[in-house]
Amino acid sequence: MTSRVALGGAAVRTGANAKANAKARARPVRAAVSEPPAAPASEQVPAARGAARKKVVVLGSGWGAISFVKSLPASAPYDVVLVSPRNYFLYTPLLPGAATGAVEERSIVEPIRRPIAEKGWKYYEAACIDVDAGAKKITCRAADPECFDDKGRDCEWHTFDVDYDYLVTAVGAVPNTFGVPGVEENCMFFKEIVHASRFRREVNERFERATLPDVPESRMRELLTFVVIGAGPTGVELAAELYDMVYQDVAKMYPSRLIPFVSIKIIDLQEKILSAYDRRIAEYATDFFQRANIECLLNKQVGEVKPDAVVITDKITGEKSEVPFGLAVWCSGIRLNPLCEKIMDSLPEGTQENRRSLACDKNLRVNGSNGSIFAVGDCATIVRPRSMSKAMELYKSAAKCDDAGECEIDLDKDQIKAALNKGVEEFPHLEEVVNNIDDKFAVFAQANGRCTFDGFSKMLTEVDNGLRALPATAQVAKQEGEYLAAFFAQCDGDATKLMGDETKFEYNHKGSLAYIGKDAAVADIPGFTIVKGIAAGIIWKSFETISQVSVRNIFLVASDMIRTKLFGRDISRFID
Amino acid sequence: MTSRVALGGAAVRTGANAKANAKARARPVRAAVSEPPAAPASEQVPAARGAARKKVVVLGSGWGAISFVKSLPASAPYDVVLVSPRNYFLYTPLLPGAATGAVEERSIVEPIRRPIAEKGWKYYEAACIDVDAGAKKITCRAADPECFDDKGRDCEWHTFDVDYDYLVTAVGAVPNTFGVPGVEENCMFFKEIVHASRFRREVNERFERATLPDVPESRMRELLTFVVIGAGPTGVELAAELYDMVYQDVAKMYPSRLIPFVSIKIIDLQEKILSAYDRRIAEYATDFFQRANIECLLNKQVGEVKPDAVVITDKITGEKSEVPFGLAVWCSGIRLNPLCEKIMDSLPEGTQENRRSLACDKNLRVNGSNGSIFAVGDCATIVRPRSMSKAMELYKSAAKCDDAGECEIDLDKDQIKAALNKGVEEFPHLEEVVNNIDDKFAVFAQANGRCTFDGFSKMLTEVDNGLRALPATAQVAKQEGEYLAAFFAQCDGDATKLMGDETKFEYNHKGSLAYIGKDAAVADIPGFTIVKGIAAGIIWKSFETISQVSVRNIFLVASDMIRTKLFGRDISRFID
């Protein structure tokens, strides 16, 4: 995989898009109060800047939004308004560290106003509650509690509309309980900085409670059992950081009699932790956890979360059991942000069939929005065209036909290769088959060394099915945000160019890293190697430090890491 | 004033104290479940350590408690149990800095478990809810919310008793509203770390709200008016830090149109801010604030706090007015911690007449407790004997009497001086008069150059009235805690010595410092000079850094100060 922007030809769609674009330029007809009628002098844009500039509204303040905002030059002809109820960016990979005090909460956040102010753009601390794709307008609600109380204030400014020419949706996803009863009530989620603060506070509280006089041993054991549900990178890192905290710091400060009662457990449906990683990594990490005495409850389906126990069923034996806990954390997957449903409902029927995320084209334009809505990060899926849709056309292109229109009904290897090559431009994933044509042909051809249309179809179906959505990671969101900013900058505000298909987003996987405790990590660096243990731990610490979004955060995280090594973690508990 | 421990003779009280002490040694008769019936092996104290050791229970985790705990050697024959609902020490002088992000919350707290664990003592995270001075036993309630819910848990360990031989009360004071209506509902207090976090969040929120579209100017002005009530050091520093934050950081990140609507106001009953400081400092600071455009509403009595306005009355003109606000902070004084009332009620009648704080003797023993309860910090007042109680005795000692018992009815200067000198040992404050005998004698003597008993009495009354309680500052609490630890160590667990009067606490005022904004401070260093402006600012920053209670906190505060200079404050707002 390369990082260059590939040039794809798709002139076919230009006609339709130009029309759509004309529609997109039409002003909304509903009377939206989107800006103060008379803006104070200090905020008026210079007249020269006005006319041709496009209004871009960005929703969200996570990885996708901040990388878009940071990468889009202030000189590009766009007036950007960012709307998010959360006024800071959170460096999510260090959230487990913040949850245990290894780094401070403040060190891994960055005020969203900083990059916005640098570029002279606007930010509203408000939640977007509705999108009218037809009128190109969003409705926002500010988090002004004064408007909900009984003081009788006049709160007309509480809910307001903002017009856009282009909407960039980067609202992420929300935790998914998969309908398991009791999760909302009895588990913590682990996605935001407040979850990290809460985790730190609640772990601390369990230890304080267990230290009190007269607490029976059974209660101590329950209080000090920490259960993480979901053994993906977040769950694994949280369990690992908790392990470090308990044995490096808590053990020094709390009575030693407590330690035998501590237990950390991680539950997953798969047979290894980190099951989405390379098999060697998953095995190493699972083994590492087991040796560290972090109990891995694998192949376990969670059926219910009770106030003090998780009910699990073994996937293989069908055996049901209960895991009592003092604190349970749900790190088990994500689902569509409800705002995206509203966007889907606002688009023409049939354009958004997949309800798991916003279906986009290769330039991150949301299908059905006529190029006026873009999406990046966890809320977006790039729908790649399935080659099966043109199977007959490709097959025919390589078949020899006689004058009467009669064609061969089976093709040899070279013909199949030619047919595939014909489709590579439109369906880049076919390149993989071309490169492995000997193996693939052997599978789908007949004994006579020729392949029928039926075999060819099966071959394409297999390849199409191998098309996977990009993972819901920070890395993908960041690259999409950067790409989109570059695309906007390159199009220079030109509506036709913004509808064009000259370029496309390509994901460049730079590797996966996960911290697994005791200064060790696992790293999968594509095209290079797999690194495990302390060496990977050093890579992890360096990477997490230099990957911070600002010099300020690099300074903070580095000083936190030094501090933790020197003085241990701060185990104070604030109750707000 | 010196820092040596003065030797005072007060053998008179020894007899009574020995008796009281015998009573104090009697074991409590009520069956208190104060310790787990069978402590796990790891927590059992070595047998050799047991018998002679005294059990000291410390209440609180503020300045007084932590300096006592840190100063008492682990080798001293005491088993210490610290009980506090707050499991960390807070470096209060930097609270205003934490409220604006100049330093981080975590940098100015220190887990109380750290010093406790180092010495092998115990800490319970619980609130002391009652003290039985007769039975020498406290009742504690742990903050275990599980015990209040409907889960039907068995919570017998929730409330528990702890026996003591000696109780050290260091519970501080609580904010005083002086009965002004609306304070609790409409003001923030400013005493704990959560107040700092809340202040930071709420200021930030006001700016975010004011930035939203369509907000009328009147509402912007109200939102961005910050009122501090009380111009003591805390209120002044909070206003100063807020000023810095607004003009150094907020102004860079929020639209410039907001800045003209920002206003910071400070209200006080006195005619100057920092009125308890040296007059030159108070004048300088008041002038400094006014030039910085922090509005000083002085000579103003607060009558009521409405949801959006403070009602004030001018002390001089009697004029009443309203000050609208977006956020109001009450920094206006302290009152007795309710727990101290329970202690008072538990002591013999007549021993605690002053209900503002626990009356103690010169060795910080609470009056009426027979030497079993000590108090330090804001909850304690050392009652110094009034010399008037022995006026006649002293007067007579210097008068010449004839054989028939007839004495002079007026004395000359030397005789008065001799009488005063006689009392200096018992009433050290008389020394001041001896040193200024010429001036004083001139005031109270008759025209004939002699002083009657009446004049002498007036002289003593004036000096007695000049006896002021020590200020409720961190400095006093810290010195009291240190003194008490030294006293405990010196007495080596001996009950008679702990009742002795060989030594006494003497406060050594090291100076007053207050930050007033724009890198400037005011400092009153006794016996040296008064420093104002940037030079004092440098002293302030250095002093606050090196005064931190641990190397860890010094590191944190120093790195915070560097960070703030380099990168400005973090204005993110977490909503928990």
Side-chain angles (χ1 to χ4, degrees):
Chain A
M1 224 175 276
T2 67
S3 63
R4 78 193 149 75
V5 174
L7 296 172
V12 277
R13 292 174 61 193
T14 311
N17 286 351
K19 205 175 83 190
N21 191 51
K23 183 182 162 201
R25 268 194 304 253
R27 304 301 304 163
V29 285
R30 285 165 59 187
V33 186
S34 65
E35 275 298 282
S42 66
E43 214 178 43
Q44 274 171 0
V45 285
R49 228 182 150 188
R53 300 176 69 84
K54 294 288 187 296
K55 188 155 181 185
V56 176
V57 171
V58 180
L59 302 181
S61 48
W63 279 100
I66 202 161
S67 68
F68 177 79
V69 162
K70 289 209 160 192
S71 305
L72 185 64
S75 59
Y78 303 98
D79 290 322
V80 175
V81 177
L82 191 141
V83 176
S84 173
R86 191 183 84 180
N87 78 359
Y88 53 88
F89 163 75
L90 168 64
Y91 188 83
T92 44
L94 284 178
L95 200 58
T100 56
V103 294
E104 287 307 319
E105 286 100 341
R106 293 271 171 190
S107 304
I108 61 165
V109 303
E110 163 84 1
I112 194 80
R113 280 207 173 269
R114 213 178 284 265
I116 292 285
E118 277 166 14
K119 302 197 172 169
W121 294 334
K122 282 186 197 166
Y123 165 65
Y124 295 140
E125 191 189 79
C128 171
I129 53 169
D130 208 358
V131 174
D132 184 338
K136 297 217 266 185
K137 189 188 72 166
I138 63 166
T139 304
C140 304
R141 181 174 294 154
D144 188 344
E146 304 284 319
C147 290
F148 296 112
D149 68 16
D150 51 2
K151 290 176 194 163
R153 287 179 195 277
D154 178 9
C155 282
E156 68 218 24
W157 60 85
H158 179 68
T159 301
F160 57 94
D161 291 349
V162 182
D163 295 329
Y164 63 84
D165 294 314
Y166 298 101
L167 180 69
V168 177
T169 312
V171 294
V174 296
N176 195 347
T177 66
F178 302 103
V180 174
V183 175
E184 300 265 3
E185 301 84 348
N186 304 313
C187 286
M188 276 189 56
F189 290 116
F190 198 75
K191 215 172 167 329
E192 296 292 339
I193 195 80
V194 291
H195 298 144
S197 314
R198 187 179 154 198
F199 182 82
R200 190 169 173 177
R201 196 168 63 224
E202 300 232 353
V203 168
N204 198 225
E205 191 178 50
R206 299 305 184 279
F207 276 93
E208 291 296 357
R209 287 188 206 168
T211 315
L212 294 175
D214 313 332
V215 177
E217 289 200 356
S218 60
R219 172 75 172 148
M220 278 168 62
R221 195 182 302 280
E222 184 189 296
L223 276 170
L224 300 179
T225 298
F226 302 97
V227 172
V228 176
I229 302 161
T234 306
V236 165
E237 290 192 342
L238 183 62
E241 291 277 4
L242 177 62
Y243 178 89
D244 284 358
M245 182 175 86
V246 168
Y247 294 99
Q248 289 171 11
D249 297 294
V250 168
K252 286 181 202 149
M253 287 203 233
Y254 287 84
S256 55
R257 67 185 167 91
L258 295 187
I259 303 304
F261 296 99
V262 177
S263 103
I264 303 173
K265 301 180 186 201
I266 189 161
I267 301 177
D268 203 276
L269 188 61
Q270 304 302 319
E271 62 167 353
K272 298 282 173 209
I273 67 169
L274 292 179
S275 57
Y277 282 44
D278 183 280
R279 186 186 44 77
R280 287 164 294 174
I281 284 184
E283 275 170 12
Y284 177 84
T286 307
D287 186 53
F288 188 92
F289 261 36
Q290 279 161 344
R291 274 184 291 127
N293 221 2
I294 298 177
E295 197 178 337
C296 299
L297 298 162
L298 300 168
N299 287 316
K300 300 287 186 286
Q301 171 100 46
V302 174
E304 186 189 348
V305 182
K306 296 185 177 178
D308 48 12
V310 183
V311 182
I312 54 173
T313 306
D314 193 285
K315 214 169 62 174
I316 298 157
T317 65
E319 205 183 330
K320 210 168 167 175
S321 58
E322 290 205 359
V323 184
F325 63 79
L327 183 66
V329 189
W330 188 262
C331 303
S332 197
I334 51 172
R335 66 177 174 83
L336 187 68
N337 187 313
L339 178 63
C340 294
E341 286 179 41
K342 296 203 172 166
I343 295 178
M344 288 173 179
D345 294 341
S346 168
L347 295 172
E349 246 191 275
T351 56
Q352 294 286 335
E353 297 288 308
N354 164 15
R355 304 295 289 190
R356 277 175 309 193
S357 52
L358 290 165
C360 303
D361 70 14
K362 61 187 181 174
N363 275 315
L364 303 164
R365 289 176 290 239
V366 172
N367 293 346
S369 72
N370 289 320
S372 65
I373 304 181
F374 291 75
V376 294
D378 293 359
C379 67
T381 300
I382 298 173
V383 176
R384 280 176 288 180
R386 295 178 72 89
S387 58
M388 257 306 285
S389 63
K390 295 204 175 167
M392 184 54 82
E393 194 181 309
L394 293 175
Y395 191 80
K396 273 187 175 168
S397 75
K400 288 186 194 111
C401 304
D402 61 19
D403 295 343
E406 288 292 306
C407 299
E408 291 172 292
I409 55 158
D410 51 12
L411 306 180
D412 65 17
K413 195 161 71 178
D414 286 341
Q415 285 172 310
I416 290 291
K417 195 173 169 183
L420 291 167
N421 265 326
K422 199 99 186 172
V424 159
E425 196 165 88
E426 193 172 347
F427 312 108
H429 59 292
L430 293 184
E431 197 168 345
E432 192 197 325
V433 200
V434 175
N435 294 341
N436 291 299
I437 189 70
D438 292 341
D439 294 351
K440 290 286 173 190
F441 193 79
V443 173
F444 294 99
Q446 292 171 301
N448 66 359
R450 298 185 71 86
C451 182
T452 61
F453 178 70
D454 186 51
F456 183 71
S457 298
K458 283 183 178 149
M459 187 190 289
L460 294 192
T461 304
E462 193 202 69
V463 185
D464 284 350
N465 288 344
L467 273 178
R468 284 199 300 181
L470 293 173
T473 62
Q475 205 176 149
V476 170
K478 183 166 180 268
Q479 290 185 23
E480 287 178 346
E482 285 165 355
Y483 170 79
L484 197 61
F487 180 71
F488 268 70
Q490 191 188 313
C491 294
D492 202 34
D494 184 292
T496 315
K497 285 186 187 163
L498 280 160
M499 283 304 295
D501 278 315
E502 294 296 303
T503 60
K504 68 172 178 181
F505 171 70
E506 277 194 280
Y507 174 57
N508 174 20
H509 183 62
K510 290 183 178 155
S512 308
L513 270 167
Y515 181 65
I516 55 173
K518 298 204 263 187
D519 289 331
V522 286
D524 179 1
I525 303 161
F528 179 59
T529 185
I530 283 174
V531 194
K532 298 171 290 198
I534 308 285
I538 293 166
I539 295 177
W540 176 79
K541 283 208 178 161
S542 319
F543 183 81
E544 295 301 8
T545 308
I546 60 164
S547 304
Q548 293 289 329
V549 286
S550 70
V551 178
R552 180 177 154 277
N553 291 74
I554 291 175
F555 173 88
L556 296 179
V557 169
S559 82
D560 284 351
M561 284 180 171
I562 294 167
R563 190 215 58 201
T564 302
K565 273 286 156 216
L566 290 177
F567 307 112
R569 292 163 182 78
D570 180 354
I571 55 155
S572 308
R573 175 158 72 88
F574 303 159
I575 304 163
D576 209 342
Chain B
M1 224 175 279
T2 67
S3 62
R4 76 193 149 75
V5 173
L7 296 173
V12 277
R13 292 174 61 193
T14 311
N17 287 349
K19 205 176 86 192
N21 191 51
K23 185 182 163 201
R25 268 194 303 253
R27 303 302 304 162
V29 286
R30 285 166 58 189
V33 187
S34 63
E35 275 299 280
S42 66
E43 215 178 44
Q44 275 171 359
V45 285
R49 228 182 149 188
R53 300 176 70 82
K54 293 288 188 293
K55 189 156 180 183
V56 176
V57 172
V58 180
L59 302 180
S61 47
W63 279 100
I66 202 160
S67 68
F68 177 79
V69 163
K70 288 209 163 192
S71 306
L72 184 64
S75 59
Y78 304 97
D79 290 322
V80 176
V81 176
L82 191 142
V83 176
S84 174
R86 190 182 85 179
N87 78 359
Y88 53 88
F89 163 74
L90 168 64
Y91 188 82
T92 42
L94 284 179
L95 200 57
T100 56
V103 293
E104 288 306 320
E105 286 100 340
R106 293 271 172 192
S107 304
I108 61 165
V109 303
E110 163 84 1
I112 194 79
R113 279 207 174 270
R114 215 179 283 266
I116 291 285
E118 277 166 14
K119 302 197 173 171
W121 294 334
K122 282 186 197 166
Y123 165 65
Y124 295 141
E125 189 188 81
C128 171
I129 53 169
D130 209 357
V131 175
D132 184 337
K136 296 216 266 184
K137 189 189 75 166
I138 64 166
T139 302
C140 306
R141 181 174 293 154
D144 187 343
E146 304 283 320
C147 290
F148 295 113
D149 68 17
D150 51 2
K151 291 175 194 165
R153 285 179 196 277
D154 179 9
C155 282
E156 68 219 25
W157 59 85
H158 179 69
T159 301
F160 58 93
D161 291 349
V162 181
D163 295 330
Y164 63 83
D165 294 313
Y166 298 101
L167 181 67
V168 176
T169 312
V171 296
V174 297
N176 196 347
T177 65
F178 301 103
V180 173
V183 174
E184 300 265 5
E185 301 83 348
N186 305 313
C187 285
M188 276 188 57
F189 291 116
F190 198 75
K191 216 174 167 328
E192 296 291 340
I193 195 79
V194 292
H195 298 144
S197 313
R198 190 180 151 198
F199 182 82
R200 189 168 173 177
R201 197 168 62 225
E202 300 233 351
V203 169
N204 198 224
E205 191 178 49
R206 299 305 184 277
F207 276 94
E208 291 295 357
R209 287 187 206 167
T211 316
L212 295 175
D214 313 330
V215 177
E217 288 200 357
S218 59
R219 171 75 172 147
M220 278 168 63
R221 195 181 303 279
E222 183 189 296
L223 276 170
L224 300 180
T225 299
F226 302 97
V227 172
V228 175
I229 302 160
T234 305
V236 165
E237 290 193 341
L238 184 62
E241 292 277 4
L242 177 63
Y243 178 89
D244 284 359
M245 182 176 84
V246 168
Y247 294 98
Q248 289 171 11
D249 296 295
V250 168
K252 287 182 201 149
M253 287 203 232
Y254 288 84
S256 55
R257 67 187 166 90
L258 294 187
I259 303 304
F261 296 99
V262 176
S263 105
I264 303 173
K265 301 181 187 201
I266 190 160
I267 300 177
D268 202 276
L269 188 61
Q270 304 303 319
E271 61 167 353
K272 298 282 173 206
I273 67 169
L274 292 178
S275 57
Y277 282 44
D278 183 280
R279 188 186 44 78
R280 287 163 294 173
I281 284 185
E283 274 169 14
Y284 177 83
T286 307
D287 186 53
F288 189 93
F289 261 37
Q290 277 160 346
R291 273 185 291 127
N293 219 2
I294 297 176
E295 196 178 337
C296 298
L297 298 162
L298 300 169
N299 288 316
K300 300 285 184 289
Q301 171 101 45
V302 174
E304 185 190 347
V305 182
K306 297 185 175 176
D308 49 11
V310 183
V311 181
I312 54 173
T313 306
D314 193 285
K315 214 170 59 174
I316 297 157
T317 64
E319 204 184 329
K320 209 169 168 175
S321 57
E322 290 204 359
V323 184
F325 63 80
L327 183 67
V329 188
W330 187 263
C331 302
S332 196
I334 50 173
R335 66 177 174 84
L336 186 68
N337 187 314
L339 178 64
C340 293
E341 286 179 40
K342 297 203 172 170
I343 295 178
M344 289 173 178
D345 293 341
S346 168
L347 295 172
E349 248 191 275
T351 55
Q352 294 287 335
E353 297 287 308
N354 163 14
R355 304 295 288 191
R356 278 175 309 192
S357 52
L358 290 166
C360 303
D361 71 13
K362 61 186 182 174
N363 274 315
L364 303 164
R365 288 176 291 238
V366 172
N367 293 347
S369 72
N370 290 319
S372 65
I373 305 181
F374 292 76
V376 294
D378 294 358
C379 66
T381 301
I382 298 172
V383 176
R384 279 177 289 180
R386 297 178 71 89
S387 57
M388 257 306 286
S389 63
K390 296 204 173 167
M392 184 55 82
E393 195 180 307
L394 293 175
Y395 192 81
K396 274 188 175 167
S397 74
K400 289 185 194 112
C401 305
D402 60 21
D403 294 343
E406 288 292 307
C407 300
E408 292 172 291
I409 56 157
D410 50 12
L411 305 181
D412 64 18
K413 195 162 73 179
D414 287 341
Q415 285 173 309
I416 291 290
K417 195 174 168 184
L420 290 168
N421 266 326
K422 199 99 185 171
V424 159
E425 196 164 88
E426 194 173 347
F427 311 108
H429 59 292
L430 293 185
E431 197 168 344
E432 192 196 325
V433 200
V434 174
N435 294 341
N436 291 300
I437 189 68
D438 291 341
D439 294 350
K440 290 286 175 190
F441 192 79
V443 173
F444 295 99
Q446 291 171 299
N448 64 359
R450 297 186 72 87
C451 182
T452 61
F453 178 69
D454 187 50
F456 183 71
S457 297
K458 283 182 178 149
M459 187 189 289
L460 294 191
T461 304
E462 191 202 68
V463 186
D464 283 350
N465 288 345
L467 272 178
R468 285 200 299 181
L470 293 172
T473 62
Q475 206 176 148
V476 170
K478 184 166 181 267
Q479 290 184 24
E480 288 179 345
E482 284 165 355
Y483 171 80
L484 197 60
F487 181 70
F488 268 69
Q490 190 188 313
C491 294
D492 201 35
D494 184 292
T496 314
K497 286 187 186 161
L498 281 160
M499 283 302 297
D501 278 314
E502 294 296 302
T503 60
K504 68 170 177 183
F505 171 70
E506 277 194 279
Y507 174 58
N508 174 20
H509 184 63
K510 291 184 179 154
S512 308
L513 270 167
Y515 181 65
I516 55 173
K518 298 205 262 185
D519 289 330
V522 286
D524 179 1
I525 303 161
F528 179 58
T529 184
I530 283 175
V531 194
K532 297 171 289 197
I534 307 286
I538 293 166
I539 295 178
W540 176 79
K541 284 208 177 162
S542 318
F543 182 81
E544 296 302 7
T545 308
I546 59 163
S547 305
Q548 293 288 328
V549 286
S550 70
V551 177
R552 179 178 154 278
N553 291 74
I554 291 175
F555 172 88
L556 296 179
V557 169
S559 82
D560 285 350
M561 285 181 169
I562 294 168
R563 190 215 59 202
T564 302
K565 272 285 157 217
L566 290 178
F567 308 110
R569 292 163 183 80
D570 180 353
I571 55 157
S572 309
R573 173 159 72 88
F574 303 160
I575 305 162
D576 208 342

